[in-house]
């Protein structure tokens, strides 16, 4: 934190003017990760077969924040605040992810997910007599996103000869941005807000079956399914004064 004060003195050391400037800055970061490669997983299929596969696992997460605050004040007679301003900026960013993989001679399984978010807010105020807030504004942006994926692969060289693949992915995203207009004493007098929502999913399946060596046949099947959603909205808000000091939306 940094603070600087200056004043002007008149007769008898009476303060006749001056000012204050201050700055505060704070940041923090955190990160964790984990990686595992040893171990095995035993799987039993519907036909009674047993498959042992080695697996790997990865996990990580991070988070960071920063805050910056600034302010100025103007002094009058006897160091009474006659005006000034202040402002602040806050930012937060976070991520996390994980992945799991199992690999055997006839089966492969993979699963992963990831998430992220970010938030930022900036604001400023104008100060009048006695440091009372006379007006200002603020704005923010908030976003989040997540993805989950799953994959399965199976193959058998006999006695049943087949290959199977299944992939499934889901993704969600969301964002929101807004502004506020401030009046006296930080009262909100108006503002805007807009958002977007995105959702997506895709799944695919394929099968290649050749029967057995003694009873061969050929069966091939494939399928896909995709879903997409996009939604967007905008809102504007104003306030008007009512008798008795209440505020009403308009």
């Amino acid at each position: 934190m940094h603070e600087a004060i200056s004043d002007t003195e008149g007769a008898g050391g009476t303060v006749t003017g001056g000012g204050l400037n201050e700055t505060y800055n704070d940041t923090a970061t955190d990160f964790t990760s984990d990686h595992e490669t040893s171990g095995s997983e035993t799987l039993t299929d519907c036909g009674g077969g047993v498959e042992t596969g080695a697996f790997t696992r990865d996990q990580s997460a991070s988070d960071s924040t920063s805050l910056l605050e600034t302010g100025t004040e103007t002094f009058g007679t006897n160091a009474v605040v006659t005006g000034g301003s202040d402002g602040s900026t806050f930012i937060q960013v976070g991520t996390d992810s994980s992945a799991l993989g199992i690999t055997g001679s006839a089966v492969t399984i993979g699963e992963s997910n990831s998430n992220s978010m970010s938030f930022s807010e900036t604001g400023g105020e104008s100060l009048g007599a006695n440091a009372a807030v006379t007006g200002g504004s603020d704005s923010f942006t908030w976003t989040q996103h997540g993805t989950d994926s799953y994959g399965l692969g199976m193959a058998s060289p006999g006695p049943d000869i087949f290959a199977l693949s299944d992939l499934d992915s889901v993704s969600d995203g969301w964002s929101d941005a807004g502004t506020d207009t401030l009046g006296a004493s930080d009262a909100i007098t108006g503002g805007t807000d807009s958002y977007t929502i995105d959702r997506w999913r895709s799944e695919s399946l394929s099968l290649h079956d050749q029967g057995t060596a003694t009873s061969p046949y050929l069966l091939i099947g494939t399928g896909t399914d995709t879903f997409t959603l996009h939604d967007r909205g905008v809102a504007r808000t104003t306030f008007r004064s009512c008798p008795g000091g209440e505020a009403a939306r308009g």
Side-chain angles (χ1 to χ4, degrees), residues 27-46:
T27 60
T29 301
D30 183 44
F31 176 78
T32 60
S33 65
D34 180 62
H35 176 67
E36 183 180 359
T37 57
S38 61
S40 62
E41 187 81 12
T42 300
L43 307 173
T44 303
D45 61 27
C46 59

Side-chain angles (χ1 to χ4, degrees), residues 33-149:
S33 65
D34 180 62
H35 176 67
E36 183 180 359
T37 57
S38 61
S40 62
E41 187 81 12
T42 300
L43 307 173
T44 303
D45 61 27
C46 59
V50 177
E51 174 73 18
T52 300
F55 73 84
T56 59
R57 179 186 290 112
D58 290 278
Q59 294 178 308
S60 65
S62 65
D63 184 76
S64 64
T65 59
S66 66
L67 173 64
L68 174 63
E69 295 179 335
T70 60
T72 63
E73 293 180 352
T74 302
F75 299 153
T77 304
N78 297 320
V80 175
V81 176
T82 59
S85 63
D86 60 50
S88 65
T89 299
F90 175 77
I91 300 174
Q92 181 178 12
V93 178
T95 63
D96 67 79
S97 63
S98 65
L100 172 67
I102 301 175
T103 303
S105 60
V107 63
T108 300
I109 300 175
E111 184 176 1
S112 65
N113 67 76
S114 62
N115 300 281
S116 64
M117 67 81 63
S118 65
F119 178 81
S120 64
E121 184 175 30
T122 301
E125 297 171 335
S126 299
L127 308 179
N130 299 314
V133 176
T134 59
S137 64
D138 61 55
S139 62
F140 73 91
T141 302
W142 186 1
T143 62
Q144 291 186 194
H145 184 265
T147 300
D148 293 295
S149 298

Side-chain angles (χ1 to χ4, degrees), residues 181-202:
T181 302
L182 308 177
S185 302
D186 274 339
I188 298 176
T189 59
T192 63
D193 188 38
S194 62
Y195 71 88
T196 59
I197 298 175
D198 289 285
R199 293 178 179 173
W200 173 83
R201 181 172 185 175
S202 176

Side-chain angles (χ1 to χ4, degrees), residues 198-214:
D198 289 285
R199 293 178 179 173
W200 173 83
R201 181 172 185 175
S202 176
E203 183 176 14
S204 62
L205 176 68
S206 66
L207 173 65
H208 193 276
D209 190 351
Q210 300 181 59
T212 66
T214 57

